[in-house]
Amino acid sequence: MGAVTLLALGNGAPDVFASVAAVRGGHARTGLGAILSAGTFVSAFVVGFVAIYAAPFAVDPAPFIRDVFFYLTAALSLFYVYLSAEIFLWQAIAFVGFYVFFVAFVFWMDLGVEGGRKKDVFELVESRKDYEVLEYGQRMGRVEGEKSIAGKSGIFGKISKVWEVPVSTLLKLTIPQATPSKWSRFYLSANIALCPLALLYSFNSIIPMNHKIAFLVPYTHFPLWLVVLLASISLALVHYIVETEPPETEQMPVVVIAFVMSVFWISTVAGELLNCLAVVGTILDLPPALLGLTVLAWGNSIGDLVADVAVAKAGQPAMAMAGCFAGPMFNMLVGLGTGLVFQTADAYPLAYKLQFHISIVVAFVFLLLSLMGSLFVVTLFKFRVPRFWGFCLVGLYILFTAVSLLIAKFSR
């Protein structure tokens, strides 16, 4: 598929798990506020920053109208559902399906069916991969520079290692390395022993880890986690004894398991972050919507800001601007939509009730204003992005933040 969708998936994947964790954890208003505020941050502040940095530049009319129109339609549909104060299972599924339709439409356009224009999809993917490699190299260069500075300062390097070593070790023990050059018999055996236990923990709400089952010894029941751990340790020992040489090429099962475990850690950290936010909100007597509109939204969107500005600096401001619309739409439809599918499925055949809050309405209004404003101004200037519109969008986001803080101060 096109580079726009790749940008959306790359920027939006962590946000999806945060949104699902928020809705599934009973913090639907926090998750919705975070998605809307993050969308406003990207469509107003990030687009404005890209425009200020790179404008004037031209955008391709068809993809620009497509991305903004789909995002605008999704936001309006969600706004209608929110004002109705309830959502049914079919509506939640429709949000996810709408993004699937968007991806198919992007794929169809990239194949050049419309207007007889044909683009090489694989060329788009490869160009994106080349840029990712370049960006990764630059980022690693900066990291190495920072590490050398920290090493020279002495105490800062030691402090960094205090948290870096345990975290990296834990990740190596639970996420297998797919690259043959990084193969380790010990760590791969540890992956076999610990990954099943971690996955069992992720399904604890469905199958309790302490669920008693009969295993080997008659009339004796063991907790499920112990049975899984014993079985996985046995397999790990067999692997450690039998496998002594690294594989010649990457193995697909290892790649899949590495992806699944990465998803597990992202989801787990996102859930703990939401719990911490809930505790902070309770201690400071802050409404959940404010936490979603500020801290969580900014945390979710920093990656979009860095990635899109980097793409703009690489000479592709049009691609950066396209990613500003496709990424937040992915978060809204797939992230929030998936969480709502779970919640509405639990409430089926009844509707899942949505709590009304004025801050959510304000977030919807500012998001729609930024989208409709960009569509109008860019179209008016014959699909060229003027620099003044960047300043307008940044000002719009500052106004949105000020209004949200005022609402949080005077309403409960």
Side-chain angles (χ1 to χ4, degrees), residues 143-181:
V143 170
E144 291 299 327
E146 292 171 359
K147 285 185 178 180
S148 63
I149 294 174
K152 292 178 182 178
S153 57
I155 185 64
F156 295 104
K158 294 179 180 179
I159 293 176
S160 175
K161 289 294 182 181
V162 169
W163 64 266
E164 182 180 346
V165 172
V167 172
S168 61
T169 302
L170 179 62
L171 294 179
K172 288 180 181 179
L173 289 172
T174 52
I175 301 179
Q177 293 288 341
T179 307
S181 60

Side-chain angles (χ1 to χ4, degrees), residues 126 250 254 268 288 375 386 391 411:
E126 290 301 324
E250 294 182 353
V254 178
T268 302
L375 183 62
F391 290 102
S411 68

Side-chain angles (χ1 to χ4, degrees), residues 61-310:
F64 174 77
I65 294 176
R66 175 200 65 201
D67 296 338
V68 179
F69 176 77
F70 269 88
Y71 192 15
L72 191 58
T73 302
L76 285 171
S77 302
L78 185 60
F79 192 22
Y80 170 78
V81 170
Y82 182 74
L83 291 179
S84 68
E86 61 182 15
I87 180 172
F88 292 90
L89 177 60
W90 69 268
Q91 292 174 315
I93 295 175
F95 282 122
V96 181
F98 186 69
Y99 187 80
V100 174
F101 174 72
F102 168 73
V103 172
F105 192 73
V106 171
F107 187 78
W108 177 74
M109 287 187 66
D110 283 342
L111 288 178
V113 176
E114 182 177 357
R117 295 186 310 164
K118 218 165 194 181
K119 295 180 181 179
D120 190 348
V121 178
F122 298 101
E123 183 179 346
L124 287 170
V125 174
E126 290 301 324
S127 64
R128 175 61 184 161
K129 286 182 178 179
D130 292 341
Y131 174 74
E132 287 177 344
V133 171
L134 175 62
E135 184 185 9
Y136 177 77
Q138 294 172 343
R139 186 166 63 249
M140 290 303 296
R142 291 193 297 269
V143 170
E144 291 299 327
E146 292 171 359
K147 285 185 178 180
S148 63
I149 294 174
K152 292 178 182 178
S153 57
I155 185 64
F156 295 104
K158 294 179 180 179
I159 293 176
S160 175
K161 289 294 182 181
V162 169
W163 64 266
E164 182 180 346
V165 172
V167 172
S168 61
T169 302
L170 179 62
L171 294 179
K172 288 180 181 179
L173 289 172
T174 52
I175 301 179
Q177 293 288 341
T179 307
S181 60
K182 296 182 179 180
W183 184 85
S184 169
R185 185 168 62 156
F186 170 76
Y187 278 119
L188 192 56
S189 300
N191 297 152
I192 296 174
L194 299 177
C195 287
L197 198 63
L199 294 177
L200 180 64
Y201 171 79
S202 65
F203 289 99
N204 188 47
S205 60
I206 302 175
I207 305 176
M209 296 183 65
N210 290 324
H211 178 71
K212 303 292 184 179
I213 60 173
F215 181 71
L216 296 179
V217 182
Y219 307 108
T220 304
H221 293 79
F222 297 94
L224 180 60
W225 67 267
L226 181 60
V227 175
V228 171
L229 182 61
L230 291 175
S232 60
I233 288 178
S234 301
L235 292 175
L237 290 174
V238 172
H239 175 273
Y240 188 83
I241 295 171
V242 174
E243 296 291 336
T244 58
E245 297 294 332
E248 296 180 359
T249 59
E250 294 182 353
Q251 298 176 318
M252 184 55 63
V254 178
V255 175
V256 172
I257 294 173
F259 174 77
V260 171
M261 292 308 300
S262 300
V263 170
F264 163 78
W265 279 115
I266 293 173
S267 178
T268 302
V269 171
E272 294 304 319
L273 172 62
L274 288 165
N275 292 334
C276 292
L277 285 176
V279 172
V280 170
T282 302
I283 295 174
L284 300 179
D285 194 25
L286 297 175
L290 177 63
L291 296 174
L293 291 169
T294 53
V295 180
L296 186 57
W298 293 335
N300 285 346
S301 305
I302 291 300
D304 297 270
L305 175 62
V306 174
D308 292 326
V309 171

Side-chain angles (χ1 to χ4, degrees), residues 1-45:
M1 65 186 68
V4 173
T5 313
L6 291 174
L7 271 173
L9 293 173
N11 292 343
D15 306 345
V16 169
F17 302 114
S19 303
V20 174
V23 178
R24 287 295 288 165
H27 309 294
R29 200 171 78 185
T30 303
L32 180 57
I35 288 292
L36 294 174
S37 185
T40 307
F41 178 84
V42 175
S43 62
F45 188 83

